[in-house]
Amino acid sequence: MIKTLFYCCITAFVFAACSKSNSGTQPCQPASVASEKNAMAAYCTANGITYQTDTSGIMYQIINPGTGAAPTLNSRVFITYSGKLLNGTTFDAQTNAAQTGWLLNSLIPGWQIALPFIKKGGEIKIVIPSSLAYGCTGAGPIPPNAPLFFDINLVDVQ
């Protein structure tokens, strides 16, 4: 009985390993920041965003620099925001900062880079290359290799 169970387990393991290796899925191919630059700039122009470009490739406009504390990676940030695909589709929004309170170091790299550009009470518009957002895998309604737009108000920093 134990011998039969052992062989069943080995057979199941081998089958699972083979089916994964032969699944035919393509590896994730991330888009380069350079390949997304023109689409990001066109979005900014079409939406009246007078942007600066960070060395990371993030395009941003500081609407209000704020006057309080600037967040660090270890800060808890309370924000309101809206997030859109570059085709204008809103994929997420939060109007109640009390429902946020996230550690900055737990958020997408684009936010980790851009939020410290403003201080408590500030507002920033950012267009993030896909590699600093959800990359080549996407997430929920966000397709793979999608640069993203966010309008963020930094309500509080702790």
Side-chain angles (χ1 to χ4, degrees):
M1 175 78 168
I2 293 175
K3 191 174 186 182
T4 303
L5 184 59
F6 174 76
Y7 286 120
C8 287
C9 290
I10 292 294
T11 302
F13 176 79
V14 170
F15 178 77
C18 289
S19 65
K20 284 186 179 181
S21 66
N22 293 329
S23 64
T25 58
Q26 296 294 323
C28 193
Q29 296 295 322
S32 69
V33 173
S35 72
E36 296 173 337
K37 184 177 179 179
N38 289 341
M40 292 169 56
Y43 180 87
C44 289
T45 300
N47 290 280
I49 300 168
T50 307
Y51 66 91
Q52 300 176 58
T53 304
D54 181 66
T55 56
S56 66
I58 294 173
M59 296 177 178
Y60 66 97
Q61 179 181 4
I62 296 173
I63 306 301
N64 175 0
T67 57
T72 66
L73 285 177
N74 295 318
S75 297
R76 188 167 299 280
V77 293
F78 294 83
I79 59 173
T80 59
Y81 68 92
S82 64
K84 296 181 180 182
L85 302 175
L86 297 193
N87 68 8
T89 302
T90 299
F91 61 84
D92 194 13
Q94 179 55 260
T95 58
N96 183 352
Q99 293 185 2
T100 60
W102 302 309
L103 289 173
L104 184 55
N105 65 14
S106 70
L107 302 175
I108 60 174
W111 283 30
Q112 292 177 24
I113 294 166
L115 276 178
F117 294 165
I118 59 174
K119 297 177 180 179
K120 178 180 174 179
E123 179 183 1
I124 190 168
K125 293 183 179 194
I126 56 177
V127 180
I128 303 174
S130 63
S131 62
L132 297 175
Y134 296 95
C136 58
T137 58
I142 302 168
N145 292 322
L148 303 175
F149 165 78
F150 291 96
D151 187 348
I152 303 171
N153 291 285
L154 184 56
V155 176
D156 196 7
V157 177
Q158 294 179 358

